[in-house]
Amino acid sequence: WFSWDMRNRVLISFTIIVLAGILQNSNFLNVLGIKPNLLLVALISLSFVINFFTNYLVFLLIGLFFLRFTMAPELEIFVFTVLSLAAFFLAKRLPWLWAANSIALIFSSTLIFYLLLKPSFIYDHFAVFIGEAIYNSLLGILVFLAIQPRHGDIRRLQHV
């Protein structure tokens, strides 16, 4: 049914989402008061290598399960879900190389997240916002490299 390589990527993807969910609920990666949105980062990164919507939906549901433990309001969970789903479809259509696409999607998703939920945070704490957007983008590249070791300078990657 699945090739060995595909099974490994599914297992790695699952592990990434579970680790992101656990770390999201801790302060382990909190740096100078900046806490990344690891679940959003992980899902956006995985959107580049997961080809089938049903597979992505399973990982999104696992992420939402962990997000419920953060005591996030329903609106935050809704925005998270919409951004994750949009990333899945946009990742397949962006014209640049994977690193630029990943950075663009993660940075813009962080911006949209705050614009929709708490726009005052952006201008009241601009340095923190920029720090989080950059931190999220860097973590997204690390997640992407973990799932797709043959990254190179290719536009289309092998998908799960």
Side-chain angles (χ1 to χ4, degrees), residues 59-106:
F59 292 122
L60 174 60
L61 292 173
I62 294 168
L64 289 173
F65 169 78
F66 282 104
L67 197 58
R68 289 302 301 168
F69 291 110
T70 64
M71 304 302 277
E74 278 78 22
L75 182 58
E76 185 175 319
I77 292 171
F78 176 75
V79 170
F80 172 89
T81 303
V82 169
L83 289 173
S84 298
L85 291 172
F88 175 80
F89 294 107
L90 286 172
K92 314 296 183 251
R93 288 162 181 74
L94 291 174
W96 313 299
L97 298 178
W98 68 266
N101 290 339
S102 177
I103 290 168
L105 266 181
I106 292 171

mmCIF file of all heavy atoms in Angstrom, residues 59-106:
data_model
loop_
_atom_site.group_PDB
_atom_site.id
_atom_site.type_symbol
_atom_site.label_atom_id
_atom_site.label_comp_id
_atom_site.label_asym_id
_atom_site.label_seq_id
_atom_site.Cartn_x
_atom_site.Cartn_y
_atom_site.Cartn_z
ATOM 1 N N PHE A 59 -3.804 15.229 10.368
ATOM 2 C CA PHE A 59 -2.782 15.931 11.148
ATOM 3 C C PHE A 59 -3.339 17.217 11.755
ATOM 4 O O PHE A 59 -2.995 17.581 12.881
ATOM 5 C CB PHE A 59 -1.548 16.217 10.297
ATOM 6 C CG PHE A 59 -0.792 14.972 9.925
ATOM 7 C CD1 PHE A 59 -0.569 14.650 8.603
ATOM 8 C CD2 PHE A 59 -0.308 14.114 10.899
ATOM 9 C CE1 PHE A 59 0.121 13.506 8.254
ATOM 10 C CE2 PHE A 59 0.390 12.958 10.568
ATOM 11 C CZ PHE A 59 0.603 12.652 9.239
ATOM 12 N N LEU A 60 -4.205 17.907 11.024
ATOM 13 C CA LEU A 60 -4.847 19.112 11.554
ATOM 14 C C LEU A 60 -5.703 18.770 12.769
ATOM 15 O O LEU A 60 -5.668 19.472 13.788
ATOM 16 C CB LEU A 60 -5.691 19.797 10.478
ATOM 17 C CG LEU A 60 -6.528 21.000 10.924
ATOM 18 C CD1 LEU A 60 -5.653 22.104 11.487
ATOM 19 C CD2 LEU A 60 -7.362 21.514 9.767
ATOM 20 N N LEU A 61 -6.463 17.689 12.691
ATOM 21 C CA LEU A 61 -7.299 17.279 13.820
ATOM 22 C C LEU A 61 -6.462 16.908 15.035
ATOM 23 O O LEU A 61 -6.837 17.214 16.176
ATOM 24 C CB LEU A 61 -8.218 16.130 13.413
ATOM 25 C CG LEU A 61 -9.316 16.496 12.410
ATOM 26 C CD1 LEU A 61 -10.062 15.252 11.942
ATOM 27 C CD2 LEU A 61 -10.263 17.518 13.002
ATOM 28 N N ILE A 62 -5.324 16.265 14.806
ATOM 29 C CA ILE A 62 -4.417 15.955 15.919
ATOM 30 C C ILE A 62 -3.914 17.256 16.538
ATOM 31 O O ILE A 62 -3.868 17.400 17.767
ATOM 32 C CB ILE A 62 -3.246 15.064 15.442
ATOM 33 C CG1 ILE A 62 -3.769 13.681 15.022
ATOM 34 C CG2 ILE A 62 -2.187 14.924 16.543
ATOM 35 C CD1 ILE A 62 -2.756 12.844 14.273
ATOM 36 N N GLY A 63 -3.545 18.222 15.690
ATOM 37 C CA GLY A 63 -3.105 19.525 16.189
ATOM 38 C C GLY A 63 -4.191 20.231 16.983
ATOM 39 O O GLY A 63 -3.924 20.819 18.035
ATOM 40 N N LEU A 64 -5.425 20.162 16.504
ATOM 41 C CA LEU A 64 -6.549 20.788 17.213
ATOM 42 C C LEU A 64 -6.789 20.124 18.563
ATOM 43 O O LEU A 64 -7.160 20.788 19.534
ATOM 44 C CB LEU A 64 -7.810 20.739 16.354
ATOM 45 C CG LEU A 64 -7.813 21.653 15.141
ATOM 46 C CD1 LEU A 64 -9.030 21.389 14.262
ATOM 47 C CD2 LEU A 64 -7.759 23.115 15.554
ATOM 48 N N PHE A 65 -6.567 18.831 18.626
ATOM 49 C CA PHE A 65 -6.688 18.119 19.900
ATOM 50 C C PHE A 65 -5.730 18.722 20.931
ATOM 51 O O PHE A 65 -6.120 19.015 22.065
ATOM 52 C CB PHE A 65 -6.393 16.621 19.702
ATOM 53 C CG PHE A 65 -6.231 15.867 20.980
ATOM 54 C CD1 PHE A 65 -7.345 15.495 21.723
ATOM 55 C CD2 PHE A 65 -4.970 15.517 21.443
ATOM 56 C CE1 PHE A 65 -7.196 14.796 22.911
ATOM 57 C CE2 PHE A 65 -4.809 14.826 22.630
ATOM 58 C CZ PHE A 65 -5.928 14.460 23.362
ATOM 59 N N PHE A 66 -4.480 18.951 20.536
ATOM 60 C CA PHE A 66 -3.506 19.548 21.447
ATOM 61 C C PHE A 66 -3.826 21.007 21.740
ATOM 62 O O PHE A 66 -3.583 21.485 22.843
ATOM 63 C CB PHE A 66 -2.092 19.428 20.879
ATOM 64 C CG PHE A 66 -1.507 18.063 21.043
ATOM 65 C CD1 PHE A 66 -1.440 17.208 19.963
ATOM 66 C CD2 PHE A 66 -1.039 17.632 22.270
ATOM 67 C CE1 PHE A 66 -0.912 15.941 20.108
ATOM 68 C CE2 PHE A 66 -0.511 16.361 22.425
ATOM 69 C CZ PHE A 66 -0.449 15.505 21.335
ATOM 70 N N LEU A 67 -4.356 21.706 20.770
ATOM 71 C CA LEU A 67 -4.669 23.126 20.956
ATOM 72 C C LEU A 67 -5.757 23.313 22.010
ATOM 73 O O LEU A 67 -5.782 24.324 22.709
ATOM 74 C CB LEU A 67 -5.097 23.746 19.624
ATOM 75 C CG LEU A 67 -5.080 25.254 19.533
ATOM 76 C CD1 LEU A 67 -3.691 25.794 19.820
ATOM 77 C CD2 LEU A 67 -5.535 25.704 18.171
ATOM 78 N N ARG A 68 -6.632 22.346 22.141
ATOM 79 C CA ARG A 68 -7.686 22.441 23.152
ATOM 80 C C ARG A 68 -7.108 22.505 24.561
ATOM 81 O O ARG A 68 -7.718 23.057 25.460
ATOM 82 C CB ARG A 68 -8.658 21.259 23.055
ATOM 83 C CG ARG A 68 -9.549 21.291 21.854
ATOM 84 C CD ARG A 68 -10.395 22.526 21.749
ATOM 85 N NE ARG A 68 -11.252 22.692 22.906
ATOM 86 C CZ ARG A 68 -11.919 23.781 23.197
ATOM 87 N NH1 ARG A 68 -11.844 24.829 22.420
ATOM 88 N NH2 ARG A 68 -12.675 23.850 24.259
ATOM 89 N N PHE A 69 -5.919 21.957 24.772
ATOM 90 C CA PHE A 69 -5.303 21.974 26.101
ATOM 91 C C PHE A 69 -4.695 23.329 26.441
ATOM 92 O O PHE A 69 -4.292 23.558 27.570
ATOM 93 C CB PHE A 69 -4.229 20.883 26.225
ATOM 94 C CG PHE A 69 -4.813 19.498 26.229
ATOM 95 C CD1 PHE A 69 -4.628 18.656 25.151
ATOM 96 C CD2 PHE A 69 -5.569 19.058 27.302
ATOM 97 C CE1 PHE A 69 -5.168 17.381 25.150
ATOM 98 C CE2 PHE A 69 -6.124 17.787 27.310
ATOM 99 C CZ PHE A 69 -5.920 16.951 26.232
ATOM 100 N N THR A 70 -4.593 24.220 25.458
ATOM 101 C CA THR A 70 -4.014 25.541 25.726
ATOM 102 C C THR A 70 -5.068 26.513 26.234
ATOM 103 O O THR A 70 -4.753 27.670 26.482
ATOM 104 C CB THR A 70 -3.374 26.135 24.450
ATOM 105 O OG1 THR A 70 -4.396 26.339 23.479
ATOM 106 C CG2 THR A 70 -2.278 25.251 23.917
ATOM 107 N N MET A 71 -6.297 26.068 26.354
ATOM 108 C CA MET A 71 -7.409 26.906 26.786
ATOM 109 C C MET A 71 -7.637 28.066 25.811
ATOM 110 O O MET A 71 -7.997 29.170 26.198
ATOM 111 C CB MET A 71 -7.177 27.443 28.209
ATOM 112 C CG MET A 71 -6.938 26.352 29.238
ATOM 113 S SD MET A 71 -8.292 25.176 29.337
ATOM 114 C CE MET A 71 -9.391 26.058 30.403
ATOM 115 N N ALA A 72 -7.386 27.803 24.548
ATOM 116 C CA ALA A 72 -7.566 28.827 23.524
ATOM 117 C C ALA A 72 -9.054 29.067 23.297
ATOM 118 O O ALA A 72 -9.855 28.132 23.295
ATOM 119 C CB ALA A 72 -6.918 28.373 22.220
ATOM 120 N N PRO A 73 -9.436 30.324 23.099
ATOM 121 C CA PRO A 73 -10.839 30.620 22.790
ATOM 122 C C PRO A 73 -11.227 30.031 21.428
ATOM 123 O O PRO A 73 -10.373 29.782 20.578
ATOM 124 C CB PRO A 73 -10.902 32.149 22.750
ATOM 125 C CG PRO A 73 -9.572 32.649 23.174
ATOM 126 C CD PRO A 73 -8.618 31.509 23.186
ATOM 127 N N GLU A 74 -12.526 29.837 21.233
ATOM 128 C CA GLU A 74 -13.008 29.233 19.994
ATOM 129 C C GLU A 74 -12.611 30.031 18.759
ATOM 130 O O GLU A 74 -12.284 29.462 17.730
ATOM 131 C CB GLU A 74 -14.531 29.058 20.032
ATOM 132 C CG GLU A 74 -14.991 27.822 20.771
ATOM 133 C CD GLU A 74 -14.946 27.996 22.293
ATOM 134 O OE1 GLU A 74 -14.972 29.151 22.767
ATOM 135 O OE2 GLU A 74 -14.869 26.972 22.985
ATOM 136 N N LEU A 75 -12.609 31.357 18.863
ATOM 137 C CA LEU A 75 -12.231 32.174 17.711
ATOM 138 C C LEU A 75 -10.776 31.921 17.318
ATOM 139 O O LEU A 75 -10.449 31.824 16.136
ATOM 140 C CB LEU A 75 -12.454 33.662 18.001
ATOM 141 C CG LEU A 75 -12.137 34.605 16.843
ATOM 142 C CD1 LEU A 75 -12.964 34.264 15.601
ATOM 143 C CD2 LEU A 75 -12.354 36.050 17.249
ATOM 144 N N GLU A 76 -9.913 31.777 18.299
ATOM 145 C CA GLU A 76 -8.508 31.482 18.015
ATOM 146 C C GLU A 76 -8.364 30.126 17.327
ATOM 147 O O GLU A 76 -7.585 29.983 16.378
ATOM 148 C CB GLU A 76 -7.700 31.493 19.312
ATOM 149 C CG GLU A 76 -6.218 31.326 19.100
ATOM 150 C CD GLU A 76 -5.437 31.457 20.397
ATOM 151 O OE1 GLU A 76 -5.759 32.340 21.208
ATOM 152 O OE2 GLU A 76 -4.494 30.665 20.574
ATOM 153 N N ILE A 77 -9.117 29.145 17.780
ATOM 154 C CA ILE A 77 -9.073 27.817 17.161
ATOM 155 C C ILE A 77 -9.624 27.878 15.735
ATOM 156 O O ILE A 77 -9.076 27.248 14.822
ATOM 157 C CB ILE A 77 -9.837 26.796 18.028
ATOM 158 C CG1 ILE A 77 -9.072 26.587 19.340
ATOM 159 C CG2 ILE A 77 -10.034 25.480 17.298
ATOM 160 C CD1 ILE A 77 -9.803 25.783 20.372
ATOM 161 N N PHE A 78 -10.663 28.650 15.527
ATOM 162 C CA PHE A 78 -11.233 28.810 14.188
ATOM 163 C C PHE A 78 -10.221 29.460 13.241
ATOM 164 O O PHE A 78 -10.009 28.986 12.124
ATOM 165 C CB PHE A 78 -12.515 29.637 14.250
ATOM 166 C CG PHE A 78 -13.110 29.922 12.902
ATOM 167 C CD1 PHE A 78 -13.773 28.932 12.196
ATOM 168 C CD2 PHE A 78 -12.988 31.181 12.328
ATOM 169 C CE1 PHE A 78 -14.312 29.191 10.941
ATOM 170 C CE2 PHE A 78 -13.518 31.449 11.077
ATOM 171 C CZ PHE A 78 -14.182 30.451 10.383
ATOM 172 N N VAL A 79 -9.581 30.539 13.677
ATOM 173 C CA VAL A 79 -8.583 31.226 12.843
ATOM 174 C C VAL A 79 -7.412 30.287 12.560
ATOM 175 O O VAL A 79 -6.927 30.207 11.425
ATOM 176 C CB VAL A 79 -8.113 32.538 13.516
ATOM 177 C CG1 VAL A 79 -6.907 33.124 12.799
ATOM 178 C CG2 VAL A 79 -9.257 33.543 13.550
ATOM 179 N N PHE A 80 -6.961 29.553 13.564
ATOM 180 C CA PHE A 80 -5.901 28.566 13.399
ATOM 181 C C PHE A 80 -6.273 27.543 12.319
ATOM 182 O O PHE A 80 -5.472 27.226 11.442
ATOM 183 C CB PHE A 80 -5.648 27.871 14.744
ATOM 184 C CG PHE A 80 -4.712 26.705 14.678
ATOM 185 C CD1 PHE A 80 -3.351 26.893 14.826
ATOM 186 C CD2 PHE A 80 -5.192 25.423 14.478
ATOM 187 C CE1 PHE A 80 -2.482 25.817 14.775
ATOM 188 C CE2 PHE A 80 -4.335 24.341 14.419
ATOM 189 C CZ PHE A 80 -2.975 24.536 14.572
ATOM 190 N N THR A 81 -7.498 27.051 12.389
ATOM 191 C CA THR A 81 -7.967 26.050 11.425
ATOM 192 C C THR A 81 -8.014 26.623 10.014
ATOM 193 O O THR A 81 -7.538 25.991 9.064
ATOM 194 C CB THR A 81 -9.360 25.530 11.835
ATOM 195 O OG1 THR A 81 -9.274 24.995 13.157
ATOM 196 C CG2 THR A 81 -9.857 24.455 10.884
ATOM 197 N N VAL A 82 -8.568 27.815 9.861
ATOM 198 C CA VAL A 82 -8.670 28.441 8.539
ATOM 199 C C VAL A 82 -7.278 28.692 7.957
ATOM 200 O O VAL A 82 -7.024 28.412 6.775
ATOM 201 C CB VAL A 82 -9.498 29.747 8.605
ATOM 202 C CG1 VAL A 82 -9.388 30.536 7.319
ATOM 203 C CG2 VAL A 82 -10.952 29.425 8.925
ATOM 204 N N LEU A 83 -6.369 29.205 8.772
ATOM 205 C CA LEU A 83 -5.008 29.461 8.288
ATOM 206 C C LEU A 83 -4.296 28.169 7.899
ATOM 207 O O LEU A 83 -3.593 28.123 6.883
ATOM 208 C CB LEU A 83 -4.195 30.214 9.344
ATOM 209 C CG LEU A 83 -4.573 31.662 9.583
ATOM 210 C CD1 LEU A 83 -3.810 32.235 10.770
ATOM 211 C CD2 LEU A 83 -4.339 32.497 8.337
ATOM 212 N N SER A 84 -4.484 27.121 8.673
ATOM 213 C CA SER A 84 -3.866 25.830 8.350
ATOM 214 C C SER A 84 -4.404 25.260 7.049
ATOM 215 O O SER A 84 -3.644 24.755 6.217
ATOM 216 C CB SER A 84 -4.094 24.836 9.491
ATOM 217 O OG SER A 84 -3.499 25.293 10.677
ATOM 218 N N LEU A 85 -5.715 25.336 6.872
ATOM 219 C CA LEU A 85 -6.318 24.832 5.635
ATOM 220 C C LEU A 85 -5.897 25.671 4.425
ATOM 221 O O LEU A 85 -5.599 25.134 3.358
ATOM 222 C CB LEU A 85 -7.835 24.791 5.765
ATOM 223 C CG LEU A 85 -8.388 23.757 6.739
ATOM 224 C CD1 LEU A 85 -9.880 23.937 6.931
ATOM 225 C CD2 LEU A 85 -8.059 22.346 6.277
ATOM 226 N N ALA A 86 -5.862 26.985 4.597
ATOM 227 C CA ALA A 86 -5.428 27.860 3.501
ATOM 228 C C ALA A 86 -3.991 27.542 3.119
ATOM 229 O O ALA A 86 -3.641 27.516 1.927
ATOM 230 C CB ALA A 86 -5.568 29.323 3.905
ATOM 231 N N ALA A 87 -3.145 27.282 4.112
ATOM 232 C CA ALA A 87 -1.745 26.955 3.838
ATOM 233 C C ALA A 87 -1.627 25.684 3.016
ATOM 234 O O ALA A 87 -0.779 25.597 2.112
ATOM 235 C CB ALA A 87 -0.969 26.807 5.142
ATOM 236 N N PHE A 88 -2.472 24.694 3.302
ATOM 237 C CA PHE A 88 -2.424 23.444 2.547
ATOM 238 C C PHE A 88 -2.636 23.706 1.059
ATOM 239 O O PHE A 88 -1.899 23.193 0.212
ATOM 240 C CB PHE A 88 -3.470 22.451 3.061
ATOM 241 C CG PHE A 88 -3.532 21.197 2.240
ATOM 242 C CD1 PHE A 88 -2.593 20.204 2.429
ATOM 243 C CD2 PHE A 88 -4.508 21.021 1.278
ATOM 244 C CE1 PHE A 88 -2.622 19.047 1.668
ATOM 245 C CE2 PHE A 88 -4.560 19.879 0.513
ATOM 246 C CZ PHE A 88 -3.617 18.876 0.710
ATOM 247 N N PHE A 89 -3.624 24.519 0.733
ATOM 248 C CA PHE A 89 -3.925 24.775 -0.677
ATOM 249 C C PHE A 89 -2.941 25.766 -1.306
ATOM 250 O O PHE A 89 -2.570 25.614 -2.468
ATOM 251 C CB PHE A 89 -5.370 25.253 -0.824
ATOM 252 C CG PHE A 89 -6.356 24.180 -0.461
ATOM 253 C CD1 PHE A 89 -7.074 24.249 0.725
ATOM 254 C CD2 PHE A 89 -6.549 23.082 -1.277
ATOM 255 C CE1 PHE A 89 -7.968 23.254 1.079
ATOM 256 C CE2 PHE A 89 -7.443 22.067 -0.934
ATOM 257 C CZ PHE A 89 -8.152 22.156 0.247
ATOM 258 N N LEU A 90 -2.496 26.747 -0.563
ATOM 259 C CA LEU A 90 -1.537 27.717 -1.097
ATOM 260 C C LEU A 90 -0.158 27.100 -1.317
ATOM 261 O O LEU A 90 0.539 27.479 -2.261
ATOM 262 C CB LEU A 90 -1.419 28.917 -0.162
ATOM 263 C CG LEU A 90 -2.590 29.881 -0.169
ATOM 264 C CD1 LEU A 90 -2.429 30.912 0.937
ATOM 265 C CD2 LEU A 90 -2.719 30.553 -1.521
ATOM 266 N N ALA A 91 0.243 26.192 -0.466
ATOM 267 C CA ALA A 91 1.572 25.575 -0.589
ATOM 268 C C ALA A 91 1.755 24.892 -1.931
ATOM 269 O O ALA A 91 2.871 24.813 -2.447
ATOM 270 C CB ALA A 91 1.794 24.571 0.546
ATOM 271 N N LYS A 92 0.676 24.420 -2.506
ATOM 272 C CA LYS A 92 0.755 23.724 -3.796
ATOM 273 C C LYS A 92 0.819 24.693 -4.974
ATOM 274 O O LYS A 92 1.089 24.304 -6.091
ATOM 275 C CB LYS A 92 -0.464 22.816 -3.993
ATOM 276 C CG LYS A 92 -0.843 21.948 -2.815
ATOM 277 C CD LYS A 92 0.209 20.935 -2.453
ATOM 278 C CE LYS A 92 -0.241 20.041 -1.336
ATOM 279 N NZ LYS A 92 0.420 20.272 -0.075
ATOM 280 N N ARG A 93 0.577 25.978 -4.727
ATOM 281 C CA ARG A 93 0.452 26.936 -5.824
ATOM 282 C C ARG A 93 1.471 28.075 -5.800
ATOM 283 O O ARG A 93 1.538 28.851 -6.738
ATOM 284 C CB ARG A 93 -0.955 27.516 -5.823
ATOM 285 C CG ARG A 93 -1.973 26.486 -6.286
ATOM 286 C CD ARG A 93 -3.388 26.852 -5.897
ATOM 287 N NE ARG A 93 -4.341 25.858 -6.313
ATOM 288 C CZ ARG A 93 -4.521 24.680 -5.757
ATOM 289 N NH1 ARG A 93 -3.769 24.299 -4.762
ATOM 290 N NH2 ARG A 93 -5.443 23.844 -6.188
ATOM 291 N N LEU A 94 2.232 28.178 -4.729
ATOM 292 C CA LEU A 94 3.196 29.271 -4.657
ATOM 293 C C LEU A 94 4.343 29.038 -5.645
ATOM 294 O O LEU A 94 4.803 27.917 -5.816
ATOM 295 C CB LEU A 94 3.732 29.413 -3.231
ATOM 296 C CG LEU A 94 2.724 29.923 -2.213
ATOM 297 C CD1 LEU A 94 3.316 29.889 -0.813
ATOM 298 C CD2 LEU A 94 2.258 31.326 -2.563
ATOM 299 N N PRO A 95 4.830 30.096 -6.278
ATOM 300 C CA PRO A 95 5.775 29.944 -7.383
ATOM 301 C C PRO A 95 7.247 29.818 -6.989
ATOM 302 O O PRO A 95 8.065 29.440 -7.806
ATOM 303 C CB PRO A 95 5.568 31.245 -8.178
ATOM 304 C CG PRO A 95 5.185 32.243 -7.145
ATOM 305 C CD PRO A 95 4.369 31.480 -6.140
ATOM 306 N N TRP A 96 7.606 30.131 -5.748
ATOM 307 C CA TRP A 96 9.019 30.199 -5.398
ATOM 308 C C TRP A 96 9.530 28.857 -4.917
ATOM 309 O O TRP A 96 8.802 27.879 -4.854
ATOM 310 C CB TRP A 96 9.227 31.257 -4.316
ATOM 311 C CG TRP A 96 8.540 32.540 -4.621
ATOM 312 C CD1 TRP A 96 8.755 33.350 -5.698
ATOM 313 C CD2 TRP A 96 7.472 33.140 -3.881
ATOM 314 N NE1 TRP A 96 7.908 34.423 -5.668
ATOM 315 C CE2 TRP A 96 7.110 34.327 -4.556
ATOM 316 C CE3 TRP A 96 6.798 32.811 -2.714
ATOM 317 C CZ2 TRP A 96 6.113 35.164 -4.100
ATOM 318 C CZ3 TRP A 96 5.804 33.641 -2.265
ATOM 319 C CH2 TRP A 96 5.472 34.803 -2.950
ATOM 320 N N LEU A 97 10.785 28.822 -4.548
ATOM 321 C CA LEU A 97 11.379 27.622 -3.983
ATOM 322 C C LEU A 97 10.837 27.399 -2.579
ATOM 323 O O LEU A 97 10.329 28.313 -1.940
ATOM 324 C CB LEU A 97 12.903 27.746 -3.961
ATOM 325 C CG LEU A 97 13.564 27.902 -5.333
ATOM 326 C CD1 LEU A 97 15.061 28.052 -5.191
ATOM 327 C CD2 LEU A 97 13.223 26.733 -6.234
ATOM 328 N N TRP A 98 10.969 26.170 -2.089
ATOM 329 C CA TRP A 98 10.319 25.780 -0.839
ATOM 330 C C TRP A 98 10.670 26.681 0.335
ATOM 331 O O TRP A 98 9.813 26.997 1.150
ATOM 332 C CB TRP A 98 10.607 24.319 -0.510
ATOM 333 C CG TRP A 98 12.032 24.057 -0.162
ATOM 334 C CD1 TRP A 98 13.028 23.646 -1.008
ATOM 335 C CD2 TRP A 98 12.650 24.215 1.118
ATOM 336 N NE1 TRP A 98 14.211 23.538 -0.338
ATOM 337 C CE2 TRP A 98 14.010 23.877 0.976
ATOM 338 C CE3 TRP A 98 12.179 24.603 2.372
ATOM 339 C CZ2 TRP A 98 14.903 23.912 2.030
ATOM 340 C CZ3 TRP A 98 13.076 24.646 3.424
ATOM 341 C CH2 TRP A 98 14.415 24.306 3.246
ATOM 342 N N ALA A 99 11.911 27.097 0.468
ATOM 343 C CA ALA A 99 12.293 27.918 1.627
ATOM 344 C C ALA A 99 11.569 29.264 1.606
ATOM 345 O O ALA A 99 11.028 29.701 2.621
ATOM 346 C CB ALA A 99 13.802 28.121 1.659
ATOM 347 N N ALA A 100 11.535 29.904 0.452
ATOM 348 C CA ALA A 100 10.838 31.194 0.336
ATOM 349 C C ALA A 100 9.343 31.008 0.554
ATOM 350 O O ALA A 100 8.702 31.831 1.221
ATOM 351 C CB ALA A 100 11.106 31.823 -1.034
ATOM 352 N N ASN A 101 8.775 29.948 -0.001
ATOM 353 C CA ASN A 101 7.349 29.669 0.193
ATOM 354 C C ASN A 101 7.027 29.447 1.667
ATOM 355 O O ASN A 101 6.038 29.957 2.181
ATOM 356 C CB ASN A 101 6.932 28.446 -0.614
ATOM 357 C CG ASN A 101 6.917 28.696 -2.097
ATOM 358 O OD1 ASN A 101 6.835 29.831 -2.549
ATOM 359 N ND2 ASN A 101 7.010 27.628 -2.865
ATOM 360 N N SER A 102 7.859 28.678 2.339
ATOM 361 C CA SER A 102 7.645 28.375 3.751
ATOM 362 C C SER A 102 7.712 29.642 4.592
ATOM 363 O O SER A 102 6.833 29.904 5.422
ATOM 364 C CB SER A 102 8.688 27.360 4.221
ATOM 365 O OG SER A 102 8.546 27.098 5.586
ATOM 366 N N ILE A 103 8.746 30.430 4.374
ATOM 367 C CA ILE A 103 8.895 31.673 5.135
ATOM 368 C C ILE A 103 7.715 32.609 4.867
ATOM 369 O O ILE A 103 7.145 33.186 5.789
ATOM 370 C CB ILE A 103 10.239 32.352 4.800
ATOM 371 C CG1 ILE A 103 11.390 31.517 5.376
ATOM 372 C CG2 ILE A 103 10.280 33.780 5.336
ATOM 373 C CD1 ILE A 103 12.755 31.920 4.883
ATOM 374 N N ALA A 104 7.329 32.739 3.594
ATOM 375 C CA ALA A 104 6.221 33.635 3.239
ATOM 376 C C ALA A 104 4.914 33.186 3.892
ATOM 377 O O ALA A 104 4.179 34.006 4.444
ATOM 378 C CB ALA A 104 6.063 33.710 1.725
ATOM 379 N N LEU A 105 4.621 31.889 3.831
ATOM 380 C CA LEU A 105 3.368 31.389 4.407
ATOM 381 C C LEU A 105 3.356 31.508 5.933
ATOM 382 O O LEU A 105 2.346 31.914 6.521
ATOM 383 C CB LEU A 105 3.133 29.938 4.007
ATOM 384 C CG LEU A 105 2.284 29.690 2.790
ATOM 385 C CD1 LEU A 105 2.112 28.198 2.539
ATOM 386 C CD2 LEU A 105 0.937 30.354 2.898
ATOM 387 N N ILE A 106 4.440 31.151 6.571
ATOM 388 C CA ILE A 106 4.475 31.201 8.032
ATOM 389 C C ILE A 106 4.443 32.646 8.527
ATOM 390 O O ILE A 106 3.698 32.979 9.453
ATOM 391 C CB ILE A 106 5.697 30.434 8.579
ATOM 392 C CG1 ILE A 106 5.512 28.932 8.319
ATOM 393 C CG2 ILE A 106 5.906 30.709 10.067
ATOM 394 C CD1 ILE A 106 6.724 28.089 8.607
#
